[in-house]
Amino acid sequence: MQSIDFYIQKACSVVAADDFAKQVIQWQQVHGRNNLPWQTENNPYHVLVSELMLQQTQVQTVIPYFNRWLERFPDVQSLADAPEDDVMQLWQGLGYYRRARNLHAAAMTVVEHYQGKIPENADQLREIPGVGPYTVGAIRAFAFDASAAIVDGNVKRLFARLFSLPFLVNKSSFDRYFWALAEHYTPQSNGRRFAQGLLDLGATICKPTQPQCGDCPFRLTCRSYQDNTVTDFPKRAEKKATPTRSGYFALDINDAGILLLKRGSDSVWPNLWCLPELEAAAQGTPDGHFKHTFSHYKLHATVWRQTLAPSQHYRRVALTDLDSVGLPAPIRTYLQQINT
DNA sequence: AAGCCGGGGCA
DNA sequence: TGCCCAGGCTT
């Protein structure tokens, strides 16, 4: 692998930094997304909420969650004051539940340390739970129009194709190369529109499949388009096969409802209410089965009807009242099927 | 550096 | 089915 400077030189031979920024900004103004719910006010709290929701989650999925969130938690203070169960319930179905706890903790941090105002300073932002390198840049650019680099999946794919880069996008060791390029190409002014333009290009033109190269403002300079190798980029390391695991759950149901147990904060489905999980398979005929695919393994679950010994940790919820609880999606689906 | 953490959309 | 997504945290 060559040095970082080598690849910056290579990139500059494709397009100079000021030309690139100018074209991204001009294209964004005409063709970009400028009416997303979190773009209407450039409100730092709205930006914070949207960025945590958008981590590994597509825009169209996030929009209804974002709107519901602002109705229930209109500002930093109201979120900081909210009970954790309310926070988890509103996040239910969005996945990566640690983000919900992070966002809740972020609001409390901002209230405690920054008088409820989200800071612009990168070092201070980086200390906020759930805010990593990407989100620091995103908040600085989108909330404050700062000159801040961002690197996400869109930016990696765009750069990899534009410059025919050999970097493996699913290997963290290549991240420093992408960040060096992103910082080289980030302009001193119009940081907000430039960052938005990168994301919009990645989401609507330089898409993972079926890239719309005919509509791309860089089609005349893009190295992989000129070489007719666009679909060869970005390069990716082979993924390991996902293992299958077995899960065992207890269904304690009576006229009053179903017994639920709150999961631990360090497990899958952290802090969500769920059927009590058993250490091993139970005796007798199962009540039913369900399967669920996580990002790193596949779960084959079996459910048995059991009467569990009383415990203060349990909570019994009526079948008709399941919507008021933060439940994992596959558990909710299973219980709804019982209901019919 | 590698593993962990969901769910939806789409070919 | 497999891949992708406005990644971050933990070990």
Side-chain angles (χ1 to χ4, degrees):
Chain A
M1 193 59 50
Q2 306 279 350
S3 70
I4 286 179
D5 281 345
F6 172 87
Y7 289 104
I8 295 211
Q9 288 301 318
K10 173 173 173 159
C12 287
S13 73
V14 174
V15 56
D18 51 350
D19 285 343
F20 180 72
K22 193 175 298 182
Q23 291 191 66
V24 169
I25 289 164
Q26 287 183 357
W27 178 87
Q28 203 286 329
Q29 200 157 358
V30 179
H31 299 103
R33 299 171 293 186
N34 294 301
N35 291 300
L36 295 169
W38 44 89
Q39 293 177 315
T40 56
E41 298 180 28
N42 298 321
N43 179 319
Y45 170 66
H46 297 186
V47 173
L48 173 69
V49 172
S50 67
E51 287 305 332
L52 265 76
M53 288 186 170
L54 286 161
Q55 288 168 7
Q56 296 293 287
T57 308
Q58 295 190 352
V59 166
Q60 290 308 315
T61 305
V62 164
I63 287 175
Y65 282 88
F66 177 84
N67 289 331
R68 282 196 294 270
W69 196 273
L70 280 199
E71 283 182 26
R72 174 63 181 82
F73 309 118
D75 50 35
V76 176
Q77 187 71 52
S78 62
L79 177 57
D81 293 341
E84 181 183 278
D85 278 350
D86 288 15
V87 173
M88 298 311 295
Q89 191 209 328
L90 243 68
W91 198 274
Q92 185 270 318
L94 200 52
Y96 283 121
Y97 296 91
R98 195 172 303 271
R99 296 181 296 169
R101 196 177 51 172
N102 286 340
L103 181 52
H104 195 198
M108 293 190 273
T109 299
V110 169
V111 165
E112 184 173 350
H113 293 296
Y114 305 114
Q115 296 78 47
K117 296 185 63 165
I118 290 159
E120 178 176 352
N121 177 275
D123 293 326
Q124 293 177 328
L125 284 169
R126 189 65 183 79
E127 294 302 312
I128 296 175
V131 178
Y134 163 79
T135 308
V136 167
I139 292 175
R140 286 172 45 72
F142 296 136
F144 302 105
D145 199 19
S147 169
I150 55 167
V151 173
D152 75 327
N154 291 301
V155 175
K156 289 181 183 177
R157 186 172 60 254
L158 183 69
F159 283 177
R161 288 172 174 165
L162 187 60
F163 307 130
S164 290
L165 299 174
F167 312 150
L168 307 177
V169 291
N170 55 344
K171 288 290 194 178
S172 58
S173 51
F174 291 98
D175 283 354
R176 62 192 192 97
Y177 290 85
F178 285 112
W179 276 100
L181 285 167
E183 283 164 8
H184 176 76
Y185 278 100
T186 299
Q188 286 302 308
S189 58
N190 291 310
R192 174 184 294 135
R193 197 175 290 280
F194 176 76
Q196 189 64 51
L198 291 182
L199 301 184
D200 293 343
L201 276 170
T204 65
I205 303 289
C206 202
K207 299 190 292 184
T209 61
Q210 298 186 348
Q212 308 292 304
C213 298
D215 298 328
C216 181
F218 298 106
R219 62 187 178 281
L220 299 182
T221 52
C222 177
R223 270 292 297 275
S224 62
Y225 182 66
Q226 293 301 314
D227 296 344
N228 198 24
T229 56
V230 171
T231 53
D232 295 336
F233 294 93
K235 301 293 187 187
R236 181 171 295 277
E238 283 189 39
K239 265 173 56 173
K240 295 174 184 173
T242 58
T244 298
R245 300 183 195 171
S246 297
Y248 315 103
F249 296 89
L251 179 63
D252 182 326
I253 183 170
N254 61 24
D255 290 344
I258 295 177
L259 214 58
L260 299 178
L261 177 62
K262 190 170 186 175
R263 296 183 63 86
S265 56
D266 291 323
S267 65
V268 263
W269 301 322
N271 296 16
L272 291 186
W273 292 84
C274 183
L275 294 180
E277 190 167 2
L278 305 172
E279 294 282 342
Q283 301 290 323
T285 307
D287 177 78
H289 304 267
F290 66 88
K291 295 180 182 178
H292 185 69
T293 303
F294 293 95
S295 43
H296 54 306
Y297 68 92
K298 186 180 295 186
L299 175 68
H300 283 194
T302 310
V303 182
W304 286 271
R305 290 204 182 215
Q306 292 190 341
T307 302
L308 299 171
S311 160
Q312 57 178 351
H313 300 296
Y314 293 135
R315 166 178 173 183
R316 198 174 283 281
V317 177
L319 271 171
T320 55
D321 211 19
L322 290 177
D323 287 342
S324 65
V325 187
L327 282 172
I331 301 289
R332 179 181 302 277
T333 302
Y334 185 84
L335 295 179
Q336 282 169 346
Q337 148 223 312
I338 292 177
N339 201 5
T340 59

